[in-house]
């Protein structure tokens, strides 16, 4: 689970909580070499859903950041690989994010476009109608941009629930990527696919390890983190996380809240 790959210096307008997930171009090149060395097939979410799960990895990108399209996509295509990019409808055309043209162009080149919410709000705080609208509106608008079906999604934030999964399924989405780390097999629920977060500081050795499906460390860390999140509630957890990671920058106007 990638977010952005950037060619230049970090954008000061991007809050630290988001920038922590933005990988430099040089590091991403190292990651691609580690993936190549692993010998795994690189496939898309739809190829995975079609049953090509045996010896593969799926590279996903959340939100629809500009660098994903300008930096990561050309590198992936040069490697002969495709990826699944989950785009938030309301981020399209904003500073730091992809334009409609960039998304259409990437889809034409073989990149799979998936949905990542209409507004990027936490689905756990939505009514069932709002949740449905978040999935459906994003899906429909992206379909009009790529001129083809959008059948896969990932959810903003980490607050997965059975209701969210059921809603995604009702909206016609065949898979839903979560933020739960792990390895996806035949028994993994298709609307709670496991993904391992790649962060700004994730070394290529770790990406190589993820490709060997050795993600026990990430699973253990995630399990521990569930405790305070559940006790504090999602909103307070986000506040606490921002306070810890962002410090003095919390008063700045956030362009993006992960
Ligand atoms: Zn997101």
């Amino acid at each position: 689970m990638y977010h952005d790959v950037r060619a230049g210096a970090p954008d000061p307008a991007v809050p630290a909580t988001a920038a922590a997930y933005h990988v430099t171009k040089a590091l991403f090149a190292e990651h691609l070499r580690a993936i190549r060395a692993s010998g795994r097939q690189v496939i898309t979410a739809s190829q995975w859903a079609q049953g090509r799960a045996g010896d593969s990895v799926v590279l996903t990108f959340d939100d629809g950041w500009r660098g994903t399209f300008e930096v990561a996509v050309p590198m992936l295509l040069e490697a002969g690989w495709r990826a699944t990019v989950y785009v938030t409808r309301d981020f399209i055309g904003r500073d730091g994010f992809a334009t409609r043209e960039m998304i259409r162009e990437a889809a034409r080149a073989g990149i799979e476009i998936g949905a990542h919410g209409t507004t990027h709000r936490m689905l756990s705080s939505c009514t069932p109608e709002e949740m449905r609208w978040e999935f459906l509106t994003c899906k429909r608008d992206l379909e009009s941009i790529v001129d083809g079906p959008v059948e896969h999604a990932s959810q903003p934030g980490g607050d997965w629930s059975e209701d969210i999964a059921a809603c995604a399924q009702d909206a016609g989405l065949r898979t839903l990527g979560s933020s739960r780390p792990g390895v996806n097999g035949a028994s993994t629920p298709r609307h709670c696919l496991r993904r391992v977060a790649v962060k700004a500081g994730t070394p290529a050795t770790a990406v190589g390890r993820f490709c060997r499906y050795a993600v026990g460390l990430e699973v253990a860390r995630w399990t521990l983190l569930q405790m305070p999140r559940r006790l504090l509630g999602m909103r307070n957890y986000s506040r606490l996380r921002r306070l810890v990671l962002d410090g003095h920058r919390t008063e700045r106007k956030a362009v993006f809240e992960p």
Side-chain angles (χ1 to χ4, degrees):
M1 175 176 62
Y2 283 95
H3 282 74
D4 195 13
V5 177
R6 58 179 171 81
D11 181 348
V14 175
T17 44
Y21 289 89
H22 293 194
V23 173
T24 64
K25 184 180 179 179
L27 184 59
F28 188 62
E30 282 183 45
H31 288 179
L32 295 188
R33 283 194 287 275
I35 296 164
R36 177 77 73 195
S38 77
R40 298 288 191 205
Q41 298 277 316
V42 176
I43 62 172
T44 59
S46 56
Q47 287 173 319
W48 183 87
Q50 282 156 20
R52 288 180 54 186
D55 193 33
S56 57
V57 290
V58 179
L59 304 181
T60 72
F61 294 80
D62 277 4
D63 304 328
W65 293 89
R66 201 179 181 91
T68 297
F69 291 86
E70 284 187 335
V71 183
V73 164
M75 292 168 79
L76 289 164
L77 294 175
E78 200 185 310
W81 291 337
R82 297 165 65 198
T84 301
V85 180
Y86 301 110
V87 176
T88 297
R89 199 275 310 261
D90 282 0
F91 291 172
I92 300 170
R94 273 203 213 168
D95 272 0
F97 293 92
T99 62
R100 295 169 68 91
E101 289 69 31
M102 290 163 96
I103 296 164
R104 189 178 296 129
E105 197 58 42
R108 272 205 206 110
I111 297 298
E112 179 167 66
I113 302 299
H116 190 60
T118 304
T119 66
H120 202 274
R121 65 182 147 170
M122 291 284 162
L123 298 177
S124 56
S125 58
C126 290
T127 65
E129 291 72 31
E130 288 169 336
M131 219 187 273
R132 191 180 147 76
W133 180 85
E134 283 286 332
F135 280 123
L136 272 179
T137 307
C138 182
K139 175 175 155 57
R140 274 189 207 137
D141 288 2
L142 288 173
E143 283 174 339
S144 79
I145 292 174
V146 303
D147 198 21
V150 170
E151 297 180 318
H152 302 273
S154 69
Q155 69 163 102
D159 57 339
W160 183 90
S161 71
E162 294 284 352
D163 288 348
I164 293 170
C167 191
Q169 197 162 4
D170 287 349
L173 295 158
R174 291 163 59 208
T175 65
L176 180 69
S178 73
S179 300
R180 294 188 182 192
V183 178
N184 299 296
S187 62
T188 312
R190 294 201 164 199
H191 294 85
C192 187
L193 291 187
R194 278 33 173 183
R195 297 191 299 161
V196 182
V198 180
K199 298 178 187 169
T202 303
T205 48
V207 172
R209 178 168 61 77
F210 301 162
C211 289
R212 293 195 301 277
Y213 304 159
V215 295
L217 186 66
E218 285 69 27
V219 172
R221 199 176 285 148
W222 181 86
T223 307
L224 277 175
L225 278 170
Q226 293 318 293
M227 186 78 85
R229 195 180 301 206
R230 228 181 286 129
L231 289 176
L232 292 169
M234 200 59 207
R235 189 172 293 268
N236 286 329
Y237 175 84
S238 294
R239 269 197 208 121
L240 184 68
R241 202 174 86 120
R242 253 197 323 273
L243 205 66
V244 171
L245 292 178
D246 262 345
H248 65 281
R249 300 171 53 153
T250 44
E251 77 281 6
R252 293 183 59 136
K253 188 183 179 298
V255 292
F256 170 78
E257 194 168 290

